Amino acid sequence: MDETLTELFAVIEDRKETLPEDSYTTSLFTHEKGENAVLEKLGEETTELILAAKDDDREELSHEAADIVYHLLVLLSMKGMDLEDLEAELETRR
């Protein structure tokens, strides 16, 4: 899983730098709302995750969890953070 997150974060960072057209990630970095668009998506996806958990829908729960992780990684990138920052914080909580 660590490799998957590392690869995903690398793609997000690349999209932030190269801004390829027709990329959803690019649209988040260039959206006129900027950070607010990502924060809104995190809120929306969190609500969907809660509903999937309440309904015991494992497939939807997995899907929404992945959406949250993706948008969280985009937010970290926007704020100049990386996976090491997240990992360091998690380590302090162990």
Side-chain angles (χ1 to χ4, degrees):
M1 173 106 162
D2 287 339
E3 187 175 313
T4 301
L5 289 177
T6 300
E7 288 175 11
L8 176 58
F9 195 77
V11 169
I12 290 168
E13 290 283 279
D14 179 69
R15 297 292 194 271
K16 181 171 76 171
E17 294 299 317
T18 62
L19 300 174
E21 292 182 29
D22 300 327
S23 163
Y24 175 69
T25 305
T26 295
S27 75
L28 292 174
F29 283 109
T30 60
H31 194 278
E32 66 185 41
K33 288 184 176 181
E35 181 182 314
N36 284 344
V38 175
L39 296 174
E40 288 171 12
K41 285 301 291 182
L42 277 167
E44 172 190 324
E45 300 302 345
T46 299
T47 299
E48 292 171 357
L49 176 91
I50 291 166
L51 294 174
K54 179 185 163 293
D55 294 341
D56 291 324
D57 186 339
R58 288 179 54 89
E59 185 176 330
E60 190 66 16
L61 183 62
S62 177
H63 177 83
E64 299 305 337
D67 284 348
I68 289 172
V69 169
Y70 164 78
H71 287 93
L72 174 61
L73 294 180
V74 170
L75 181 62
L76 291 177
S77 178
M78 283 182 162
K79 294 297 191 176
M81 298 175 70
D82 56 33
L83 290 178
E84 288 77 22
D85 295 312
L86 178 59
E87 184 177 22
E89 179 61 28
L90 291 171
E91 284 289 325
T92 65
R93 296 176 182 213
R94 265 196 339 176

